[in-house]
Amino acid sequence: PIVAPADCVSWAYLKIEEALRWSRLPMTALQRVADLGCSPGGAAQALLNRGLVVTGIDPAAVDPRVAAHPHFTHLRMRAKDVRRREFRKTKWLVADINAAPDYTLTAVEEIVTHPQVNIRGLLLTLKLSDWKLVQEVPQYIERIRSWGYEEVRAQQLPHFGQEICIAALRKKVSRQRGRRISKSPNVDR
């Protein structure tokens, strides 16, 4: 069970906590995370509580409790309007954009495929306005793999309602011998 703190700013806190526990992405304190669709700040709050440095991206306002956190930066704009250099030090990207899956995937793709950006892992919420979109999930997974993410999983989680969570991770490559190193758990394909 996931218990939200008394000062939880939104339901997204529970959603991201559930997604992080399910995905087991190896995020560690002080790593940089971009949070697309961050308003009002529930997911950012959960990430901050884990010690991460969060850049929230959303044209809407963020709760003052989140905005005041020293490890939070709010870029009050759409993801497509953010200069790609803002993502150079970012290791993780989470997205919970209130839009169709193709819009969310296009916004993420434009960031992670930029040559100056090296995002290690993704945690995406895709809104399924119609349950028929579940049939498209294999294509969504293949699209994400085409960006260089070898380990991609999708799951409908209890706090997600009519949404699906996708976790993706690039495998690390050892610079010494070009060997692949994977510390991540086994991943469903």
Side-chain angles (χ1 to χ4, degrees), residues 28-53:
T28 58
L30 299 179
Q31 287 183 326
R32 294 183 183 275
V33 181
D35 180 3
L36 309 184
C38 71
S39 181
Q45 184 182 34
L47 295 165
L48 292 164
N49 286 350
R50 286 173 169 254
L52 294 154
V53 178

Side-chain angles (χ1 to χ4, degrees), residues 27-120:
M27 294 181 178
T28 58
L30 299 179
Q31 287 183 326
R32 294 183 183 275
V33 181
D35 180 3
L36 309 184
C38 71
S39 181
Q45 184 182 34
L47 295 165
L48 292 164
N49 286 350
R50 286 173 169 254
L52 294 154
V53 178
V54 180
T55 299
I57 301 163
D58 198 306
V62 172
D63 187 283
R65 293 169 288 184
V66 174
H69 195 286
H71 287 156
F72 181 78
T73 302
H74 185 201
L75 300 178
R76 199 164 180 174
M77 59 184 69
R78 295 177 299 177
K80 70 178 194 171
D81 298 328
V82 178
R83 294 181 194 167
R84 296 306 173 242
R85 70 175 177 229
E86 295 288 340
F87 298 101
R88 279 191 224 152
K89 295 181 181 179
T90 302
K91 294 295 173 208
W92 305 98
L93 186 144
V94 300
D96 190 359
I97 300 171
N98 194 15
D102 282 329
Y103 180 92
T104 299
L105 291 171
T106 297
V108 172
E109 182 175 17
E110 289 174 356
I111 295 166
V112 302
T113 60
H114 191 277
Q116 294 180 349
V117 176
N118 187 22
I119 305 285
R120 181 164 180 223

Side-chain angles (χ1 to χ4, degrees), residues 2 4 12 14 17 54 67 86 88 91 102 107 113 115 125 133 137 140 160-161 164 166 170 173:
I2 300 170
L14 297 171
E17 272 299 322
V54 180
E86 295 288 340
R88 279 191 224 152
K91 294 295 173 208
D102 282 329
T113 60
T125 300
L133 288 172
V137 172
Y140 301 153
F160 275 64
I164 193 154
I166 295 185
R170 292 186 198 269
V173 177

Side-chain angles (χ1 to χ4, degrees), residues 25-26 92 120-122 148-152 167-171 184-185:
L25 291 176
W92 305 98
R120 181 164 180 223
L122 310 171
Y149 294 91
E150 297 175 21
E151 299 181 18
V152 183
L169 187 64
R170 292 186 198 269
K171 289 188 177 181
S184 61

